[in-house]
Structure formats: structure tokens, C-alpha cells
Amino acid sequence: MGTRRTSLPGVGTRYDFTTHAGQHLSVVVHHDGRRFIGFYAADDPDTCQSSVPLEREEATALAHLIDPAPLDAVRTDGIDLVTEHIQIGSRSPYGGRLLGDTGARTRTGASIVAVLRRTSAHPSPGPDFRFAIGDTLVAVGTREGVDALAAIIAGG
């Protein structure tokens, strides 16, 4: 199974997902909350065979069917905040480095509020928390801030 995240300037973010069986699909999340799921042929991962557009409420309903307790967006005083999981992959420059090395909050305005490891959870990690490959960061911020943080963690 493999996933890839691509920023689409002026549009949003595309998440590509390949299953263990080799099936490829993408989810495009627009800045305004619209989403669509695209399905691709195994022999041509660049040609979308079909797509399903989803309004924000429809995407939330589908997410609840897949995972009954997903992380939802939080609306506060007219500002959209999102909570997202960001994995530290093998190509991340932050595997083995300290949270403070990312400069996450200063550079993006997004906060890393927890780190999930295979066998443990670390809420409210401080700047001296050392990341490991495979860690999942729980980030909170604006859509733009969380996307910027994900790009930093990925090495972009």
C-alpha cells in the first residue's frame, strides 16, 4: 500500500492511494471543501476512468462509514481549523530529528498536538521530542498551514 500527497496550487491537495492489490485511486480536496474521488486503471495510472464528486457533508458521511470515528474539521469563529494525520515516511528529513528542528509552528502556524507510534501515543510533544520513521503526527491548523507542514515533513 502506498500513498502520496500533492499540493495543487490554487485548487487544494490531491491524495493518491494504491492498495495492496495495486488498485489506484485519488482524492482531491479543494480549498472550499469540495472533494472528488477518482478511479484509475491498474495498467494506466494517469488516466482517470471515473470520478465521484462529493460535497463536504457527503465526504464526512462517507468517512464515517469507513471509519466511525474520523478526525473532523473544527469551526471556530468563522475560521476553519483542520486536524490531520501526517506520517513521517522513510524519505522524510525529520526521521530521528527533534520536533523543534521542523520550526512547524513558526513556519506554518500549524501545531503538532500529538505523535502516534506503533506502540504508544505522545500527547503535547515538546520541541525536544525525537521523531522516528513511521511516526504519525496529529497536526491542527488552517488547511494551508497543515498542508505546508505536511510538505515540510515530506521534505518539500
Side-chain angles (χ1 to χ4, degrees), residues 80-101:
D80 281 327
L81 294 178
V82 296
T83 303
E84 189 167 312
H85 288 177
I86 301 169
Q87 188 168 29
I88 297 187
S90 60
R91 295 185 181 183
S92 173
Y94 292 99
R97 292 181 58 192
L98 301 176
L99 182 151
D101 293 344

Side-chain angles (χ1 to χ4, degrees), residues 70-84:
L71 297 171
D72 290 324
V74 177
R75 186 150 182 100
T76 307
D77 297 330
I79 300 171
D80 281 327
L81 294 178
V82 296
T83 303
E84 189 167 312

Side-chain angles (χ1 to χ4, degrees), residues 104-123:
R105 193 172 306 130
T106 302
R107 293 169 67 186
T108 69
S111 296
I112 298 169
V113 298
V115 177
L116 308 175
R117 283 218 168 114
R118 191 171 69 82
T119 59
S120 58
H122 304 273

Side-chain angles (χ1 to χ4, degrees), residues 7 16 18 22 37 69 106 114 126 141:
S7 180
D16 293 299
T18 304
I37 301 173
T106 302

Side-chain angles (χ1 to χ4, degrees), residues 13-14 21 28 78 82 88 90 103 107 124 126 136:
T13 306
R14 184 180 77 213
V28 175
V82 296
I88 297 187
S90 60
R107 293 169 67 186
S124 302
T136 299

Side-chain angles (χ1 to χ4, degrees), residues 145-156:
V146 171
D147 285 347
L149 175 58
I152 289 167
I153 296 300

